Amino acid sequence: MKIGIIGAGNIGGTLGRIWSAKGHSIIYGVRNPLAPRVQTVLEESEHKATAASVKEAAMKSDVLVLATPWEAIGEVAFQIVDITGKILIDCTNPVKPNPEWPLAQGSSAAEEIAKRLSGFRVVKAFNTLGAGNLSDVMFGAVHADAFICGDDAEAKQIVSELAKEIGFDAVDVGGLRSAEMLESLAKLWITLAYSQGIGPKIAFKLLQK
Ligand SMILES: NC(=O)c1ccc[n+]([C@@H]2O[C@H](COP(=O)([O-])OP(=O)(O)OC[C@H]3O[C@@H](n4cnc5c(N)ncnc54)[C@H](OP(=O)(O)O)[C@@H]3O)[C@@H](O)[C@H]2O)c1
């Protein structure tokens, strides 16, 4: 699969390294493809991944991953064209306000993105645990859960498969309306990891009997 990843930071860089090792074709969409941080990410994927502009990465991919700060989303979205029917995986967490894209009460980053980039099939995923866990999502014998929501069943199925390749169990949380809950879950993760001092090697698991 051709996967474009906007942002080669903690989340984008790690997802790209993992999926590249699984044989996917990764193209990072970045502000400066020659930046040392980007070059390091490309080296770590043994140069099987490439880097280009945000616009080119969006155009050349089947699935696009948004892995930039929420505050940057207006600037990023402005560069994205040729999107009809593409899957967009939104990993962002609106932890800081975005004056350009203020969130209405009860709305979510994912729903705002879906509204403004209306050709995409938006799926919220990979936002509910710290990036440092992505390389190893096993907790003993237990697979961490990837909570996924979106309005398109086929898009969610494809994202679930990508999650399973990382080692997650995928949990479908329903339509994109559920993104608000997943973004709140991320705030719970941050609170537990840092304010409560548990540390970042934690993840959520749905228990069932
Ligand atoms: N870190 C985590 O554990 C974690 C977990 C779950 C979700 N998230 C969410 O994932 C997103 C990314 O977090 P992160 O920790 O990966 O951030 P990060 O390490 O700071 O990386 C952000 C990436 O976005 C790029 N970027 C920033 N502004 C941009 C712009 N205007 N246009 C194009 N690219 C831009 C940066 O490129 P430059 O190098 O050019 O600045 C960098 O590649 C955030 O929304 C965060 O809330 C993070």
Side-chain angles (χ1 to χ4, degrees), residues 7-11 31 37 67-69 72 75-76 91-93 127 129-131:
N10 296 313
I11 284 280
R31 291 189 278 203
R37 192 180 186 186
T68 66
E75 192 186 326
V76 170
C91 306
T92 67
N93 279 316
N127 71 308
L129 82 174

Side-chain angles (χ1 to χ4, degrees), residues 6-13 29-32 35 37-38 54 66-73 75-76 79 90-95 126-132 186 189-190 194:
I6 310 300
N10 296 313
I11 284 280
V30 290
R31 291 189 278 203
N32 177 8
R37 192 180 186 186
V38 177
V54 169
L66 264 182
T68 66
W70 166 242
E71 312 86 87
I73 209 70
E75 192 186 326
V76 170
Q79 300 165 68
D90 170 34
C91 306
T92 67
N93 279 316
V95 283
F126 310 122
N127 71 308
T128 60
L129 82 174
W189 187 95
I190 294 166
Y194 298 114

Side-chain angles (χ1 to χ4, degrees), residues 19-174:
W19 286 327
S20 172
K22 298 280 176 191
H24 295 286
S25 166
I26 305 296
I27 177 166
Y28 289 100
V30 290
R31 291 189 278 203
N32 177 8
L34 298 177
R37 192 180 186 186
V38 177
Q39 289 300 311
T40 301
V41 168
L42 299 185
E43 276 161 29
E44 284 170 359
S45 61
E46 293 164 17
H47 293 281
K48 285 188 239 156
T50 57
S53 66
V54 169
K55 184 177 176 180
E56 194 178 341
M59 284 173 66
K60 288 188 171 167
S61 55
D62 307 315
V63 171
L64 192 62
V65 179
L66 264 182
T68 66
W70 166 242
E71 312 86 87
I73 209 70
E75 192 186 326
V76 170
F78 186 67
Q79 300 165 68
I80 297 178
V81 289
D82 188 23
I83 58 172
T84 306
K86 275 187 191 176
I87 295 170
L88 185 145
I89 305 176
D90 170 34
C91 306
T92 67
N93 279 316
V95 283
K96 287 189 198 152
N98 183 339
E100 275 177 72
W101 289 33
L103 286 188
Q105 182 81 25
S107 187
S108 61
E111 288 165 289
E112 288 303 316
I113 289 163
K115 241 187 275 169
R116 301 200 193 194
L117 295 174
S118 56
F120 274 114
R121 297 185 283 165
V122 177
V123 177
K124 186 96 201 174
F126 310 122
N127 71 308
T128 60
L129 82 174
N133 293 295
L134 287 172
S135 303
D136 180 9
V137 296
M138 295 304 293
F139 290 76
V142 177
H143 298 254
D145 282 338
F147 297 95
I148 290 168
C149 71
D151 293 331
D152 186 282
E154 188 199 36
K156 277 196 288 193
Q157 185 55 40
I158 289 169
V159 178
S160 295
E161 292 305 323
L162 288 170
K164 286 176 194 164
E165 287 185 26
I166 295 171
F168 283 111
D169 283 337
V171 178
D172 184 345
V173 186

